[in-house]
Amino acid sequence: MNDCSSCIVRNRAICSSLTPDELLILGKMGRRQKVKAGHTLLWEGDDAPVVANVLEGVLKLVVAASDGREQIVGIVFPSDFIGRPFGKESPYSVTAMTDAEVCIFNRNAFDDFASDHPDLQQKLLRRTLDELDRARHWMMLLGRKSATEKVASFLLEMADRLSGQGCNADGSLNGFELPFGRQQIADILGLTIETTSRQLTRMKSDGLVSLPSRREIVIRNRAAMEEMAG
Amino acid sequence: MNDCSSCIVRNRAICSSLTPDELLILGKMGRRQKVKAGHTLLWEGDDAPVVANVLEGVLKLVVAASDGREQIVGIVFPSDFIGRPFGKESPYSVTAMTDAEVCIFNRNAFDDFASDHPDLQQKLLRRTLDELDRARHWMMLLGRKSATEKVASFLLEMADRLSGQGCNADGSLNGFELPFGRQQIADILGLTIETTSRQLTRMKSDGLVSLPSRREIVIRNRAAMEEMAG
DNA sequence: CGAGGCCTTGACTGGAGTCAATTAGTGTGG
DNA sequence: CCACACTAATTGACTCCAGTCAAGGCCTCG
């Protein structure tokens, strides 16, 4: 069984609402599992018998059209929660973008446990509300922004979200390494890979960013970038 | 004070989780308020001191860009919940699309009440999870679908969601009256009003729909429409 | 060092946006 | 009930941004 008290996300995941006793019970229900980059944990439309906490790595939530077009509808980092409590089918696929490790629970058992632990449920509610806000802002981006604005917004949001894991003193992270490639950026922004690439090259030659390697981004002029994000 | 027991959304809103005693307490906290079509209840970015249940009418959730572009990120019907519990700023504007009536609560008081009533909180969680699923599917539409696919998907979803209020026997509603005009459809789909209009006239001349009046839609060939939605 | 995948770049196309004019509803007051 | 004004919706002509197709270059890893 798991020793949750030493879990790396102990203080950040929804489990942080639990007392040591409760943690012991939940610990018995969960099991750790590694997921290799590219592997899919949950398939869109399938019955999803599990929910999980992310311990390590980055995963994407994907909705696909019948002809293969993909839209990434969420990105999940360590301490985030995966899955759909109180619902049977997974409304999207969950795929690892990097090697990852998750702590998975049987959904029914988790639902029952949650129903008995209001604090846990409130944490989950808060998280879900936050996710919903984020999703809705992303809808604005997808529906109304130009390619340039999309890429700028994306870089700023990534700078924000990646600053959790290791950043410079003032908390504003301007250089970071993306955990995924160009096609994935395109799938997040609702663009093609070519358009995404062109926008990045343009920003580079305009001195807004530098691109030390394929996956590294350094924002050189944050003010102009924010201006550009619209 | 309010007599919640005779409320028209008594059995459908989140209040349905409450006992008569609890309902009495909540009833004292809420007050009914009418909102005229076009009036805004909550402004994006402002402190939002209230949450509410919708009793009557239809409202939109809007995210706007600095230059005025608007994206509708949600549509709210009777018995739906409005507002952002456990958060101060409203992440979007809430504006009535038709004359509406809502039952509003002080947010802090509601948060406290919710914290003491796990069943209510669970109802809220389930609703929020459903909203999140809907939002994510809408992200796929906004990011990856063509204008034609967008309009077809929209008409099918409206047929679904409006079938709650008065429909034909088998539950599949093919004719309905939209509670809003072309510009709003455009703002939902991330299109311009001209493109939206053109798509509709195209569908009409292809015999997929008829448009008896400005706001009435009749789906004449549902199979083809579903095909078109992608 | 070589193979393969990822990324960039270029030329071209097309779908949706823009601007502008017209038409069809809607509501108001005489 | 009709005439008028006003707004919403449609239609047309044109533009342009992003998509498509195709070629070439560059990492990265075996």
Side-chain angles (χ1 to χ4, degrees):
Chain A
M1 73 156 275
N2 296 300
D3 179 10
C4 294
S5 61
S6 68
C7 176
I8 39 173
V9 298
R10 166 75 177 99
N11 295 310
R12 292 181 293 147
I14 50 171
C15 317
S16 65
S17 62
L18 302 173
T19 65
D21 288 357
E22 294 170 323
L23 208 56
L24 219 61
I25 303 173
L26 192 66
K28 281 184 192 155
M29 290 167 43
R31 71 172 194 279
R32 283 154 163 269
Q33 186 175 314
K34 296 199 184 275
V35 191
K36 277 246 164 14
H39 280 231
T40 295
L41 195 63
L42 261 39
W43 293 95
E44 181 181 356
D46 279 11
D47 282 355
V50 298
V51 297
N53 277 315
V54 180
L55 302 177
E56 220 187 301
V58 184
L59 300 93
K60 61 178 178 180
L61 315 181
V62 176
V63 176
S66 43
D67 63 355
R69 282 172 293 179
E70 291 195 349
Q71 176 66 48
I72 295 181
V73 298
I75 305 177
V76 185
F77 292 98
S79 85
D80 285 344
F81 183 82
I82 292 177
R84 180 62 168 84
F86 311 117
K88 214 157 136 240
E89 296 197 351
S90 181
Y92 39 73
S93 301
V94 179
T95 303
M97 301 175 94
T98 66
D99 287 346
E101 188 172 7
V102 297
C103 175
I104 69 175
F105 304 93
N106 173 284
R107 190 175 53 71
N108 290 323
F110 181 87
D111 286 358
D112 292 346
F113 185 86
S115 296
D116 292 342
H117 295 84
D119 288 352
L120 180 79
Q121 207 160 77
Q122 182 169 119
K123 270 239 148 54
L124 202 50
L125 175 57
R126 284 169 185 265
R127 255 166 209 275
T128 309
L129 287 162
D130 285 345
E131 274 298 303
L132 183 56
D133 289 347
R134 208 201 304 278
R136 285 178 162 156
H137 260 90
W138 217 246
M139 288 172 70
M140 160 75 206
L141 174 140
L142 290 170
R144 291 298 186 203
K145 291 193 176 178
S146 70
T148 308
E149 292 171 320
K150 283 181 178 182
V151 173
S153 306
F154 168 78
L155 294 178
L156 290 169
E157 169 138 349
M158 280 301 120
D160 261 20
R161 294 195 68 182
L162 292 172
S163 68
Q165 39 245 47
C167 62
N168 55 10
D170 65 348
S172 80
L173 185 71
N174 282 325
F176 50 91
E177 180 172 352
L178 292 172
F180 41 76
R182 295 287 184 270
Q183 181 61 60
Q184 317 269 19
I185 303 178
D187 286 341
I188 291 168
L189 298 176
L191 297 172
T192 58
I193 188 174
E194 294 94 330
T195 301
T196 306
S197 176
R198 275 189 257 268
Q199 295 298 331
L200 283 170
T201 322
R202 168 93 125 335
M203 285 180 176
K204 183 178 164 189
S205 56
D206 290 353
L208 282 171
V209 296
S210 40
L211 310 169
S213 80
R214 283 189 171 178
R215 299 194 162 192
E216 281 177 284
I217 308 267
V218 182
I219 299 177
R220 288 236 162 281
N221 187 343
R222 179 172 274 261
M225 187 74 87
E226 276 160 4
E227 177 67 23
M228 220 174 207
Chain B
M1 73 155 274
N2 295 301
D3 179 10
C4 294
S5 61
S6 68
C7 176
I8 38 173
V9 298
R10 167 76 179 99
N11 295 310
R12 292 180 295 147
I14 50 170
C15 317
S16 64
S17 62
L18 301 174
T19 65
D21 289 357
E22 294 169 322
L23 207 56
L24 219 62
I25 303 172
L26 192 67
K28 281 183 191 154
M29 290 168 43
R31 70 172 196 279
R32 283 156 163 269
Q33 186 175 314
K34 295 199 184 277
V35 191
K36 277 245 161 22
H39 280 232
T40 294
L41 195 63
L42 261 39
W43 293 94
E44 181 182 354
D46 278 12
D47 283 355
V50 297
V51 297
N53 276 316
V54 180
L55 303 177
E56 220 187 300
V58 184
L59 299 94
K60 61 179 178 180
L61 315 181
V62 176
V63 176
S66 43
D67 63 355
R69 283 171 293 179
E70 291 195 349
Q71 176 66 47
I72 295 181
V73 298
I75 306 177
V76 185
F77 292 99
S79 87
D80 285 344
F81 183 82
I82 292 177
R84 181 60 169 85
F86 311 118
K88 215 158 136 237
E89 294 198 351
S90 181
Y92 38 74
S93 301
V94 179
T95 302
M97 303 176 95
T98 65
D99 286 347
E101 188 171 8
V102 296
C103 176
I104 69 175
F105 304 93
N106 174 283
R107 189 176 53 70
N108 290 322
F110 181 87
D111 286 357
D112 292 345
F113 185 86
S115 297
D116 292 343
H117 294 84
D119 289 353
L120 181 79
Q121 208 161 79
Q122 182 169 116
K123 269 239 149 54
L124 201 51
L125 174 57
R126 283 169 186 265
R127 257 167 207 272
T128 309
L129 286 162
D130 285 344
E131 275 298 305
L132 183 56
D133 288 347
R134 209 200 306 279
R136 284 179 163 157
H137 260 89
W138 218 246
M139 287 172 72
M140 160 75 207
L141 174 140
L142 290 170
R144 291 297 186 205
K145 291 194 175 179
S146 69
T148 309
E149 292 171 319
K150 283 180 177 182
V151 173
S153 306
F154 167 77
L155 294 178
L156 290 169
E157 169 139 350
M158 280 302 120
D160 261 18
R161 294 194 69 181
L162 292 172
S163 69
Q165 38 246 48
C167 62
N168 54 12
D170 65 347
S172 79
L173 186 70
N174 283 324
F176 50 92
E177 180 171 352
L178 293 172
F180 41 77
R182 295 286 185 271
Q183 181 60 59
Q184 316 270 19
I185 302 178
D187 286 342
I188 291 168
L189 297 176
L191 297 172
T192 58
I193 188 174
E194 294 95 331
T195 301
T196 306
S197 176
R198 276 189 256 268
Q199 295 299 330
L200 282 170
T201 31
R202 167 90 109 9
M203 284 181 178
K204 183 179 164 189
S205 56
D206 289 353
L208 282 171
V209 296
S210 39
L211 309 169
S213 80
R214 284 189 169 177
R215 300 194 162 193
E216 281 177 284
I217 308 268
V218 182
I219 299 178
R220 289 235 159 282
N221 187 342
R222 179 172 275 261
M225 187 74 86
E226 275 160 3
E227 177 68 22
M228 220 174 205

